[in-house]
Amino acid sequence: MSRENPFAVPFDGPAIDWVPIVPGANPLAQPIRAIRANTAGNVTVTLKRGGASRVMNFAAGETRTIWATHVTAATATGLEGAI
């Protein structure tokens, strides 16, 4: 019998859903694997590995793959995260 967590999100395959992102100090409900911004602007994230903070500049409608635990600030709006 496998001891793998059946509820764990695999990070080696496609996303299982997209969720809205509201920037703030609290961690996201679960790490995200990509961010889509519907308007242009900056998005500040905390990386899953190492915990470094990065400011990313998005064009309107752009999607970027990134493994993040927090989205702390954003001037871009309509943020969605792939889980």
Side-chain angles (χ1 to χ4, degrees):
M1 179 193 266
S2 173
R3 291 183 177 244
E4 292 182 26
N5 180 348
F7 303 104
V9 176
F11 280 91
D12 58 351
I16 59 172
D17 201 0
W18 285 87
V19 295
I21 296 174
V22 178
N26 294 325
L28 298 167
Q30 65 186 82
I32 54 173
R33 61 176 68 212
I35 296 173
R36 178 171 46 227
N38 290 305
T39 66
N42 292 329
V43 178
T44 304
V45 301
T46 302
L47 302 177
K48 171 76 172 147
R49 290 200 177 159
S53 181
R54 297 282 185 265
V55 177
M56 301 166 53
N57 188 343
F58 280 80
E62 183 176 11
T63 300
R64 291 195 183 180
T65 58
I66 185 163
W67 198 10
T69 58
H70 295 72
V71 175
T72 56
T75 58
T77 60
L79 300 178
E80 301 169 304
I83 56 171

